[in-house]
């Protein structure tokens, strides 16, 4: 049950309550390796569920279009001040509804329709909103794309520079959704300067690692930093845009009134709480443990013959190329899910299979580290993955593994929920 219990929800709507409890039990009993997911604290859950959801507050602190902002203004001020202090930036906008709208705001702030934007190609590890064709950002702007080298699995900065100087994008995105290695922000900043482009560092995946000092920061290098707040940063679903003072008003205008109406004040409060948590020494220890766990898991997977894109990881994220294992990403991910290991199928760079059924698996250690797993647990995790990938059609093995993992996770408390005794 939820702790504290969701007594009103159970009384008013048993159907929804049952689904919520079912989802919680699922999160409790599984090895959650989806690289973009985590478990938030009970304090973040409470802020998210607070009466701030009742309030409209279009505009910005001190300049609202509705009355009654005596408490919402200080909440938003606090969240923004904590973001500035934690990430060492001049300005923070905490209103974007999520990562994708935050990136869209960067387009609106700096580009006209048809202008050129450069980002990492989606199948190479970029995000849809970095100019991929099915996204509005790829349809309404002119995308040029960089990737990684086939031999190293890493971004080739010379190739990025050549492309930028040839295509002259007005906006360059660095960062992505499936990048196991450190992003070189100073090098991207240099390229953007040479090309006369605005550099956006999208740190959605690594924001928590940056906050905890376990990944370099783009602050002082990128003109604009966009991030979600719910991945390694371990806050509510939401986003922020951080900028230099120079770009502050362009970005603010793009978020409101450019793209959004009223901000989600309950989310803003929860972001403030998460940012306070992320500034504590225990969070730095957490961020370093996330990276140590990913390194240990990569090591253990390599020992079992898995082929990792770029040969390993510097972050929370690992990308497995299953080509040498004779199984595609999707059936492997489905079998792993049935066996209690939750992750997602993913394209790998230069994938020879279709995006709908690609060759890779993406996994990350942010959530399992919140549950208290350490390096010494990683060989066991790799063992489960290896056995299931080997025998992915063996239903008895999948059921046995799911039970084993359920028992293993039962000893590791989950924030905000506990099994009914
Ligand atoms: C997750 C992610 C986003 C989008 O965030 P949503 O909240 O899902 O819209 C944007 N950019 C990157 C790099 C991401 O990983």
């Amino acid at each position: 049950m939820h702790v504290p219990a969701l007594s009103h929800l159970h009384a008013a709507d048993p159907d929804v309550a049952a689904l919520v409890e079912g989802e919680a039990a699922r999160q409790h009993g599984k090895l959650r390796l989806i690289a973009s997911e985590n478990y938030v604290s009970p304090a973040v859950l409470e802020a998210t569920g607070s009466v701030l959801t009742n309030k409209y507050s279009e505009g910005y602190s001190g300049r609202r279009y509705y009355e009654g902002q005596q408490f919402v203004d200080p909440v938003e001020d606090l969240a923004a001040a904590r973001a500035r202090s934690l990430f060492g930036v001049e300005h923070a906008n905490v209103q974007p509804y999520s990562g994708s709208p935050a990136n869209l705001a960067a387009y609106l702030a700096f580009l006209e329709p048809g202008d050129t934007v450069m980002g990492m190609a989606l199948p190479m590890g970029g995000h849809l909103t970095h100019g991929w064709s099915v996204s509005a950002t790829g349809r309404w702007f002119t995308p040029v794309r960089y990737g990684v080298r086939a031999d190293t699995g890493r971004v080739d900065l010379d190739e990025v520079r050549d492309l930028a100087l040839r295509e002259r994008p007005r906006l360059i995105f660095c960062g992505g959704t499936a990048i196991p290695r450190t992003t070189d922000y100073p090098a991207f900043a240099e390229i953007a300067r040479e090309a006369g482009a605005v550099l956006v560092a999208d740190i959605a995946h690594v924001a928590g690692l940056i906050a905890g000092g376990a990944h370099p920061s783009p602050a002082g290098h990128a003109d604009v930093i966009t991030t979600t707040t719910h991945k390694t940063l371990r806050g509510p679903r939401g986003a922020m845009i951080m900028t230099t003072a120079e770009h502050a008003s362009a970005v603010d205008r793009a978020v409101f009134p450019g793209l959004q109406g009223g901000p989600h004040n309950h989310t803003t409060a929860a972001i403030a709480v998460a940012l306070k948590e992320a500034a504590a020494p225990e969070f730095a220890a957490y961020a370093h443990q996330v990276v140590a766990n990913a390194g240990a898991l990569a090591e253990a997977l390599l020992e079992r013959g898995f082929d990792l894109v770029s040969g390993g990881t510097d972050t929370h994220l690992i990308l497995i190329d299953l080509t040498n294992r004779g199984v595609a990403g999707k059936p492997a991910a489905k079998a792993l899910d049935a066996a209690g290991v939750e992750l997602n199928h993913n394209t790998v760079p230069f994938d020879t299979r279709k995006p709908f059924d690609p060759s890779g698996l993406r996994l990350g250690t942010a959530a399992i580290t919140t549950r208290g797993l350490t390096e010494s647990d990683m060989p066991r995790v790799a063992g489960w993955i290896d056995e299931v990938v080997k025998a992915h059609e063996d239903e008895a093995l999948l059921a046995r593994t799911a039970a084993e993992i359920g028992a293993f996770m039962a000893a590791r408390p989950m924030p905000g929920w506990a099994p009914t005794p």
Side-chain angles (χ1 to χ4, degrees), residues 98-101 103 127 129-130 175-177 202 204-205 228 230-231:
S98 213
S100 304
N103 282 344
H127 190 258
T129 55
H130 298 182
T177 61
D202 181 344
H205 262 270
T228 55
H230 49 270
K231 299 179 183 175

Side-chain angles (χ1 to χ4, degrees), residues 162-348:
D162 290 347
L163 199 60
L165 294 180
R166 189 167 70 239
E167 303 286 346
R168 296 278 165 184
R170 295 194 58 185
L171 205 61
I172 298 177
F173 276 93
C174 63
T177 61
I179 305 176
R181 296 295 181 173
T182 305
T183 298
D184 188 343
Y185 301 118
F188 270 100
E190 170 94 35
I191 291 166
R193 209 161 27 242
E194 283 176 49
V198 170
L199 178 65
V200 182
D202 181 344
I203 62 167
H205 262 270
V206 291
L209 307 184
I210 293 169
H215 186 286
S217 171
H221 302 293
D223 304 287
V224 177
I225 301 169
T226 60
T227 186
T228 55
T229 47
H230 49 270
K231 299 179 183 175
T232 54
L233 191 55
R234 214 160 66 176
R237 304 197 80 84
M240 308 191 291
I241 309 184
M242 297 173 278
T243 67
T244 54
E246 180 193 353
H247 298 304
S249 64
V251 163
D252 283 354
R253 276 199 310 274
V255 173
F256 176 86
L259 282 173
Q260 299 187 170
H264 295 178
N265 299 313
H266 56 305
T267 300
T268 309
I271 289 174
V273 173
L275 291 170
K276 181 177 179 182
E277 291 174 354
E282 305 84 73
F283 191 87
Y286 163 72
H288 284 91
Q289 188 64 53
V290 168
V291 173
N293 283 351
L297 181 54
E299 209 51 53
L301 289 166
L302 288 168
E303 269 169 31
R304 288 177 173 269
F306 281 100
D307 178 12
L308 307 186
V309 172
S310 84
T313 179
D314 306 321
T315 63
H316 63 302
L317 189 146
I318 295 168
L319 199 53
I320 301 176
D321 184 343
L322 285 173
T323 308
N324 69 348
R325 302 297 297 252
V327 56
K330 204 167 178 176
K334 286 220 173 307
L336 283 160
D337 188 55
V341 182
E342 187 187 3
L343 41 63
N344 63 279
H345 63 82
N346 214 94
T347 52
V348 294

